[in-house]
Structures are given as C-alpha cells and as structure tokens.
Amino acid sequence: MGFSVQDDRQTAPVKTGHEVIQDQLKTLDGSPGVYRMLNAQNEVLYVGKARNLRARVSNYARASGHSGRIARMISETASMMFLTTRTEVEALLLEQNLIKQLKPRYNVLMRDDKSFPNILIPTDHPFPMIRKHRGKRSDKGRYFGPFASAGAVNRTLNQLQRVFLLRTCSDVMFSGRTRPCLLYQIKRCAGPCVGRISEADYAALIDDATRFLDGKSTTVQADLAKAMAEASEAMEFERAAALRDRIKALTAVQSTQGINPRGVAEADVVALHLEGGQACVQVFFIRGNQSWGNKDFYPKTGAGAEEPEILEAFLSQFYDDKEPPRLILLSHGVENPDLVTQLLSDRAGRKVELAVPLRGEKAELVENAHRNARESLARRMAESTTQNRLLQGLAEAFDLEAPPKRIEVYDNSHIQGAHAVGGMIVAGPEGFLKSQYRKFNIKGEAGAQGDDFGMMKEVLTRRFERLLKEDPERKTDAWPDLLLIDGGAGQVSAVAEIMAELGIDDLPFIGVAKGIDRDHGKEEFHRPGEQPFALRMNDPVLYFIQRLRDEAHRWAIGAHRAKRAKATTSTPLDEVPGVGATRKRALLAHFGSAKAVTRAAVEDLTAVPGISEALAQQIHDFFHEKG
C-alpha cells in the first residue's frame, strides 16, 4: 500500500467545530484516503474513509443537516489528520486498521475479535487424526469451519467418531500403543494404531468423513447401505453388523440436523438488531449445507450510528482475520456494498457475494438470525440493568465516588508453593470481561516459599508497572476503578505497601476475607486504616462480591491446574535447544521414550527424520554434559 501523509494538526487550537473543518478544505484535493478528527486534547474522536477526501470533509463543514451524533462529533473537533491512498479499497483497509488500533469514541467497534475453531484432517500421516484447530491455517491438511464455538466442534468430532471411527489420539500416543485403547473397545475408533485396519480402508473412512463435512451425508449413507448389503450377501455378518451400526449413528446425526438449509451450501448469515442505542449482531455459520452454530456480538455503536454503518463496520472488522465464505446473507444493506464486496473478495482470493434476501429459504435464515439477535439483546439489556444496580450498590456500600466501570479481582493458587500462579479477572457494567482475564506465572522466590503476600506483591507490581508504562495518564479503560483482593488485613497491608511504592494513591482496594468458619455469607471486608466490616446476609451486593471472588478463585485454580498438568507431561526433551514440538514427536516415535533418547548415540539420533548431524551432536552433548 502506498500513501502520502498530510498532517494539519494545530498545536494549540483556539476554535472547534465547523470553522476548523472549513479551514482543512484549503489544502485538500479529491484523492481517496482516511481522515481523523481530533479534540482539543489530541484524542482521536473518529476515523473515516473517503473516495474523495475534499468532498467528504466538505459535508462536515456544513452548519446544518447532521444527525445528533455527527453534530456532537463536529462540535468537539479541534483538528484533523489525513492519509491519502491510491484506491478506496486501500482507504477502507487502512480505516479498519486505525479503528482497531485507536478505538475512537464515535466509531463502530467490534468488541470480540477472537478466532473461531475449525476441524482439521491432516494429510501428512498415513492414519491421520481428526482434531480441533484454532488460529492460523499453517498445518498441512483439509480444514472445515469455522464453527461458532469449541462445543460445536466437539459435538461434531463426537459424531465423526461414532460414524467413521477415526482416531483422535496424538501422534506420540498413536506410535506408542501396543494394545487397542478403550475407544476401540466401544466402537469409537477403527484401531489403526495396532493394525486393526489397513491404510487403504482407513483412507476410505477419511474420504467418507470429508464427504460428510462437505454436506454429502445422504451419499455417504447410500454407500454404507450398499456395502452392508454386499457384506450380508457374502455372509460377512460381523462386517455387516458394523456397517449397520455406522448407518444408525449417521441416521441419528441427521435427525438432529433438521434446521440445516437445503438450498444454501456455504454462507454466513449476519443479522443486526438495534434498540436503545445498543446493537446485537448474530452470525450463523453454514458450511456443507449444515449449520455449524451461531455467535452473538455486541459492537459499540459509536454514540448512535445507524444500521448500514454498523453492519458495514462489523463486516470489515469481523473478516479482518477470518476467511469470508462465498455468500454473506445480511439483514440490512450496508453503506458501500460494492466496496465491501471488493475488500472481502480480495481477502478471500475469490468472489464474495453480499445479499439481503427478501423471500424464500435465505430470507427465513436471515429472519431466524434476526430473531436471535433481538432476543439476545433483550436478555443483555435486562442483565445490564441488574448489573448497573449492583455496581451502584457496591459504590454505596464501600463509599466509592461512582459505580466502578472496571473491577479487577486477584487471587493466587499453588500447592505448598509448587506451580504458583496468580489470577486476575475483570468485571464491569457488561458482566465478566473474560477477554481481559490474565494469569501470572509466579517467577520470584515467593512462589517457591508459598508466601501469599509475596506472590500478591509480585502480581500487582507486574500489573501496575506495565500500566504505568503503557498508559501513565490513564486515558484508556485499562485502568481499574476498584481492586478486590482475596484476603484479610495482612493482604490489604501488603497491597497498600505496593501501591505506595508505585506512587498510586487514588485507587480504592478492598480485601475480602472468609470470616468466621470460612462460610459464605460471613465475609469480612478490609480497607486500609479502617476496622473490618460485613454486609447483611441477604444483601445482593454481598452475593455479587461472592460471585466475583469465586470467579477469581476458579480462574486462578484453572491456571494452576493447567500449569501443573503441563509440568506432569513434560519431558527432558523440552529443555533441549533446537528441539521443538515436531522434532520432539519424531524422537519419541523413533526411540519410544525420552529416556531412550538421552541414552542414544549420535549416529542413532541422526537416523531420525529432521535431525541433522549437528543437532544430533547438540542433543547428545546436552544430556551427557548434564550427567
């Protein structure tokens, strides 16, 4: 992308509004590009794109005819910045990158940009496993997706196991088996690890599974029925019975897929419902004539944007790191359909079509998605009302200046100092913000000594030193309004000491102690320099704090267990420089165990695929130098 920069910011603006924008027109031409509107504090209010920068900016220079949202934005504008591009598509791409980076107040922002899981059938193994995959599609194989959730993938994998008997064990476990596992015994795997099925027959199972995921389940069922009849005629009754069981399983799967569309093979159904300044977007994923789940999103509406602008911004941001399907069915039109279509087609490397269906099966799919969006938004708004009441009650109970918008709750987890982990969860007006959760591997001596105070000091020091470095003026919403600490007077004193060392003296924090008999409902609350106090047993705020504390405990324990499990399954090979996951699998598959690798000679190590003579010498020296 090539572009030039025109920076017309005023260092000390003395006026705002239409006059400021009018001044910018003197130096603008009709090039495509991106513009930024900034307030008197040089904070970006809005990022927009334009086919013709001069024409677009001249619209803002008018004194009337704007919506309330645009009028407010114009009144706050003290300066503007411009980036010219070669094409309007480049401008749209640059606009979305800047929105994602700067998060301007008046832009529509997608709040959830997590990747979606896929199913992967690898092609680099004679008996490939079928597995869940998330992230970049870098492994060799056939990908199917996206699925709306890990649960949707797991259900599909379970169905594929029942019908096609494909293995789900890792390559290391596969190579180390000497007897069939339990999945073979309960007829959920064909047993390729111990030679119970030939490579050709297993390839036929893979082909059937691929056709099923491509939406050709009826063809697969017909082929299975034909094979069962042939086996019966040949009096191969055991094989016929196995095929009968697979047909039953496939029939059961098909009976649960009654909502699947017949006339839509591949599409995303995107429906928007806007109410009270809040928006919900429902996305249904259809692949191979099968519905692979749905997910709801709640984009920030930029202080009052309308449906076409919200939906266009959502599509541009949603498919930023996801491959769009060939067809996207929409509940509303977008502002620039040709431009969005070109952008998505360029990203996919093939034609992508946008459509707003008015009748038929496609319209029914959109209406179903829109109904889900409407109901999801209604539930969220009801939950938000309750949450706001709880936050208001929390502010009153603890004498806070205002209801907190961001609460951070901290807890530690360890077993006698082993595998110590600190956990942080975040909550606010929208409930638990799970994308903001963090875990801290305890690195100092406090973890090894089981020193809870020391661990808390390390966690908070790391957290707030980073905040002070990245946002010292507290301009972003990353700064909390309230800290909740799992612990009593001792923990509160330790936190007070940490905050004093960091120079943070205006952040309220509260220790939540279990109280008498460590029972729910008898919690005591501790604040620096004050006597502990309690809330009445049936106070909703008390239940709210218990939920926050329990969620922090769950998160910290989960992180601790994951760390402990990883340590349990680790091998000495993990420490060898130059030996990653692929070479580790190759070594274990060749020698059978990590212990055998440590005893191997250099010439034996070089016999392993992917292990050069230099690396073999390095592995040998690593273990022999350690003794």
Side-chain angles (χ1 to χ4, degrees):
M1 179 187 302
F3 54 80
S4 61
V5 180
Q6 303 176 41
D7 187 347
D8 295 324
R9 279 186 297 180
Q10 302 176 24
T11 56
V14 294
K15 53 186 177 181
T16 60
H18 302 285
E19 294 182 17
V20 171
I21 298 174
Q22 187 71 41
D23 290 342
Q24 308 297 325
L25 294 174
K26 300 174 183 177
T27 57
L28 281 179
D29 56 23
S31 302
V34 173
Y35 58 93
R36 279 177 273 183
M37 308 177 84
L38 300 89
N39 63 13
Q41 290 74 43
N42 279 337
E43 297 171 339
V44 179
L45 299 172
Y46 183 77
V47 175
K49 67 182 178 306
R51 179 181 302 173
N52 183 318
L53 280 172
R54 181 177 177 79
R56 176 60 59 87
V57 174
S58 65
N59 291 333
Y60 293 117
R62 296 198 318 264
S64 61
H66 303 292
S67 67
R69 164 177 170 255
I70 299 301
R72 290 194 302 273
M73 182 177 72
I74 291 173
S75 68
E76 296 178 36
T77 300
S79 60
M80 296 186 71
M81 294 181 65
F82 303 94
L83 294 167
T84 60
T85 59
R86 292 175 298 186
T87 66
E88 193 179 4
V89 174
E90 286 186 1
L92 176 58
L93 185 59
L94 180 58
E95 175 199 40
Q96 296 307 321
N97 288 338
L98 289 173
I99 289 173
K100 192 172 183 180
Q101 175 186 348
L102 301 173
K103 298 180 172 58
R105 185 194 319 165
Y106 286 96
N107 279 101
V108 176
L109 301 174
M110 181 182 158
R111 299 182 179 182
D112 188 341
D113 59 354
K114 291 183 179 178
S115 62
F116 288 89
N118 295 268
I119 285 178
L120 169 62
I121 300 180
T123 55
D124 56 355
H125 194 284
F127 297 97
M129 66 177 290
I130 183 167
R131 60 183 173 88
K132 178 170 58 182
H133 178 88
R134 191 189 292 270
K136 188 177 180 181
R137 297 186 175 189
S138 55
D139 295 342
K140 293 181 180 179
R142 182 82 187 275
Y143 291 87
F144 300 89
F147 288 78
S149 64
V153 172
N154 292 335
R155 286 192 296 273
T156 303
L157 289 175
N158 187 49
Q159 294 167 354
L160 292 171
Q161 269 191 304
R162 290 169 55 199
V163 178
F164 303 108
L165 312 181
L166 302 180
R167 75 176 181 95
T168 57
C169 58
S170 67
D171 290 348
V172 172
M173 184 178 293
F174 176 87
S175 62
R177 296 295 306 184
T178 56
R179 294 185 301 171
C181 66
L182 180 61
L183 289 176
Y184 175 82
Q185 305 295 340
I186 62 175
K187 300 181 180 179
R188 300 288 290 275
C189 179
C193 56
V194 289
R196 299 300 170 93
I197 184 172
S198 68
E199 186 174 335
D201 289 341
Y202 192 85
L205 294 179
I206 290 289
D207 182 61
D208 286 345
T210 301
R211 286 193 292 156
F212 171 80
L213 291 170
D214 281 332
K216 301 174 182 176
S217 58
T218 304
T219 306
V220 173
Q221 189 167 15
D223 291 346
L224 290 175
K226 181 181 178 181
M228 182 180 69
E230 292 174 351
S232 296
E233 290 178 4
M235 292 188 291
E236 297 176 0
F237 300 117
E238 186 174 347
R239 180 167 175 265
L243 290 168
R244 179 203 62 203
D245 293 341
R246 290 177 59 196
I247 292 171
K248 280 185 178 181
L250 184 56
T251 302
V253 169
Q254 290 171 329
S255 68
T256 65
Q257 295 179 342
I259 62 170
N260 292 337
R262 296 182 179 180
V264 181
E266 176 187 335
D268 284 352
V269 184
V270 183
L272 165 67
H273 183 71
L274 184 61
E275 183 178 337
Q278 298 188 49
C280 175
V281 178
Q282 280 278 346
V283 182
F284 280 72
F285 303 99
I286 298 173
R287 300 293 186 273
N289 295 94
Q290 303 174 57
S291 177
W292 284 354
N294 64 295
K295 186 169 177 59
D296 50 359
F297 301 87
Y298 301 91
K300 181 182 174 184
T301 60
E306 298 298 325
E307 284 94 341
E309 182 181 353
I310 294 173
L311 208 49
E312 179 175 313
F314 176 83
L315 292 175
S316 301
Q317 295 176 43
F318 181 73
Y319 292 110
D320 179 47
D321 57 352
K322 304 172 186 68
E323 182 178 334
R326 300 179 186 277
L327 175 64
I328 301 176
L329 301 176
L330 303 174
S331 60
H332 300 78
V334 298
E335 289 186 330
N336 303 281
D338 294 340
L339 183 61
V340 176
T341 298
Q342 185 178 349
L343 175 68
L344 298 182
S345 298
D346 290 346
R347 286 176 175 171
R350 51 173 166 70
K351 184 179 179 181
V352 174
E353 179 186 356
L354 301 182
V356 184
L358 301 177
R359 62 183 64 87
E361 184 182 34
K362 294 177 181 177
E364 291 175 3
L365 291 171
V366 171
E367 175 55 33
N368 177 55
H370 184 262
R371 184 177 63 255
N372 277 270
R374 183 175 62 249
E375 294 171 354
S376 295
L377 184 59
R379 287 192 297 270
R380 183 180 177 88
M381 292 174 74
E383 292 168 358
S384 178
T385 300
T386 302
Q387 187 80 354
N388 286 331
R389 284 201 299 265
L390 289 171
L391 293 172
Q392 179 65 45
L394 187 66
E396 294 172 359
F398 296 120
D399 299 323
L400 304 178
E401 293 181 359
K405 295 182 179 179
R406 181 184 175 99
I407 304 170
E408 293 185 356
V409 191
Y410 293 86
D411 194 9
N412 298 322
S413 182
H414 61 94
I415 297 179
Q416 295 181 343
H419 313 302
V421 174
M424 177 193 85
I425 68 143
V426 182
E430 298 173 358
F432 292 116
L433 306 177
K434 295 192 176 182
S435 63
Q436 302 290 312
Y437 288 14
R438 296 291 181 267
K439 59 183 178 182
F440 301 83
N441 289 316
I442 305 299
K443 302 175 181 178
E445 296 181 0
Q449 297 171 357
D451 178 4
D452 285 325
F453 295 162
M455 283 188 269
M456 184 61 66
K457 181 174 182 178
E458 178 180 335
V459 168
L460 290 177
T461 300
R462 287 164 57 185
R463 165 67 178 154
F464 285 96
E465 279 184 345
R466 181 169 183 174
L467 264 182
L468 287 168
K469 180 180 179 181
E470 295 179 349
D471 185 20
E473 297 182 7
R474 308 191 189 185
K475 291 184 176 181
T476 69
D477 56 6
W479 277 86
D481 305 304
L482 175 66
L483 303 184
L484 293 181
I485 311 297
D486 185 42
Q491 291 282 23
V492 168
S493 297
V495 173
E497 180 183 338
I498 297 164
M499 293 302 174
E501 291 176 0
L502 295 171
I504 302 173
D505 56 5
D506 58 347
L507 183 57
F509 53 90
I510 299 165
V512 185
K514 297 281 195 311
I516 303 172
D517 299 327
R518 302 179 68 81
D519 284 341
H520 264 311
K522 298 182 179 180
E523 283 83 358
E524 289 184 344
F525 302 101
H526 298 259
R527 290 187 292 191
E530 298 184 16
Q531 291 294 320
F533 66 99
L535 298 174
R536 67 179 188 275
M537 288 283 290
N538 60 348
D539 192 330
V541 174
L542 175 60
Y543 297 141
F544 178 49
I545 294 173
Q546 289 171 351
R547 266 197 359 256
L548 294 173
R549 194 226 11 235
D550 291 346
E551 173 69 359
H553 192 56
R554 179 199 67 79
W555 174 250
I557 285 202
H560 163 72
R561 287 174 176 168
K563 185 177 181 180
R564 192 175 68 204
K566 185 176 181 180
T568 302
T569 57
S570 64
T571 74
L573 298 177
D574 296 328
E575 303 175 19
V576 183
V579 177
T582 301
R583 286 169 172 162
K584 176 183 170 183
R585 285 196 298 268
L587 288 165
L588 291 174
H590 184 86
F591 290 101
S593 69
K595 190 172 184 179
V597 177
T598 66
R599 296 173 174 174
V602 173
E603 53 269 24
D604 295 328
L605 291 168
T606 56
V608 179
I611 305 298
S612 65
E613 186 173 344
L615 181 57
Q617 187 66 54
Q618 184 175 325
I619 296 170
H620 179 272
D621 293 345
F622 178 85
F623 289 115
H624 286 73
E625 287 174 4
K626 290 184 69 174

